[in-house]
Amino acid sequence: MEHIINHIIIIINLIAISAGFAAFFLYLHMYLINRLVLLKNYLELQVCMVAWSIVVFVLPYTIENLSESVELLVCMEIGIFLLTAFFFYYSALFYHELTGTSFQGIKRTIYKSISVFCGSAGLIPFLIKNNPYDVLTLLITGHYYLVMTLCFSINLISIYLMISRFRKIRKGIIRTIIKVNLLLFIVLVPLLITLVYLNDHNDKWKNSDA
């Protein structure tokens, strides 16, 4: 069972990375034609999303084959926290701008505070534990609870903004961007849910096989 689950996880990650690259080149083509600043901002966000997907894809392999390289694993986990912080804030900024929704005042402060907390959360284990293995354990726990919660939250918020504001948007290029993004979310969100479920239950299946 473990062997099958690992293959499914690899396939899901490859689909997510492929979708990310496809979206990047699609928006790059649209940007070169329209020179819309909003598209440039999304390209920067897409680079972050692809980098996050690649790190998450490589991490299980690193744990499986380089488990003694604790420092490398710790650095990768910290990288996930930093990428998620960037992704959370700039996703909120982009989708508010895309849908013409206000992103000022207390709302902007809340998103920025959550992002800063996520970025700095990767350093908290170093203040609590001295043993590198204990630090890594706390980072992995934070990864599956804090990081995934923020990813799900910002995805749901983005979907809500696009659906609720779509009818009010008249500019053709913006409507196209929203349609493409909704299609990506339809593909990626279920994959993300499945990935979290499989990773969460992998140890149980591993023990049952033993």
Side-chain angles (χ1 to χ4, degrees):
M1 177 64 78
E2 179 194 352
H3 185 69
I4 297 174
I5 297 304
N6 287 336
H7 276 83
I8 294 174
I9 291 174
I10 289 172
I11 292 171
I12 290 174
N13 279 306
L14 286 175
I15 292 173
I17 293 171
S18 300
F21 275 111
F24 175 82
F25 286 111
L26 174 62
Y27 282 111
L28 178 61
H29 176 70
M30 293 170 66
Y31 172 70
L32 293 176
I33 294 175
N34 296 279
R35 296 292 176 177
L36 195 63
V37 176
L38 191 64
L39 287 172
K40 182 181 178 182
N41 294 340
Y42 186 76
L43 287 173
E44 295 171 354
L45 176 62
Q46 194 65 36
V47 169
C48 173
M49 292 169 64
V50 172
W52 187 91
S53 298
I54 291 174
V55 172
V56 171
F57 174 69
V58 172
L59 187 59
Y61 170 83
T62 308
I63 293 174
E64 186 72 24
N65 297 279
L66 300 172
S67 57
E68 295 182 359
S69 303
V70 181
E71 293 80 6
L72 176 60
L73 293 172
V74 167
C75 289
M76 292 180 72
E77 285 290 349
I78 292 175
I80 289 176
F81 278 88
L82 293 175
L83 286 170
T84 302
F86 181 91
F87 169 71
F88 181 83
Y89 179 77
Y90 284 98
S91 286
L93 177 62
F94 172 77
Y95 286 106
H96 278 77
E97 289 182 349
L98 177 67
T99 58
T101 308
S102 174
F103 193 66
Q104 301 297 328
I106 187 65
K107 182 188 291 186
R108 193 185 193 102
T109 302
I110 290 173
Y111 278 102
K112 189 175 292 185
S113 299
I114 294 174
S115 180
V116 170
F117 172 74
C118 178
S120 58
L123 303 177
I124 293 176
F126 293 94
L127 304 176
I128 302 174
K129 301 290 184 179
N130 294 321
N131 189 307
Y133 290 95
D134 293 334
V135 170
L136 180 60
T137 299
L138 288 175
L139 285 171
I140 293 174
T141 302
H143 172 180
Y144 282 109
Y145 287 96
L146 175 62
V147 169
M148 290 303 179
T149 298
L150 290 181
C151 287
F152 280 124
S153 299
I154 196 61
N155 284 337
L156 291 176
I157 291 170
S158 302
I159 291 171
Y160 170 77
L161 287 173
M162 288 188 289
I163 292 176
S164 64
R165 302 282 296 181
F166 185 76
R167 291 185 178 180
K168 298 179 181 180
I169 294 171
R170 296 289 176 262
K171 196 170 182 179
I173 183 65
I174 301 298
R175 293 175 67 89
T176 301
I177 294 172
I178 290 177
K179 289 177 182 178
V180 172
N181 272 272
L182 286 174
L183 180 61
L184 279 174
F185 279 120
I186 290 173
V187 174
L188 294 179
V189 171
L191 289 178
L192 185 59
I193 294 172
T194 305
L195 187 62
V196 172
Y197 176 81
L198 291 178
N199 278 316
D200 187 48
H201 288 73
N202 207 10
D203 287 337
K204 297 178 182 178
W205 286 316
K206 189 184 299 183
N207 292 334
S208 65
D209 285 347

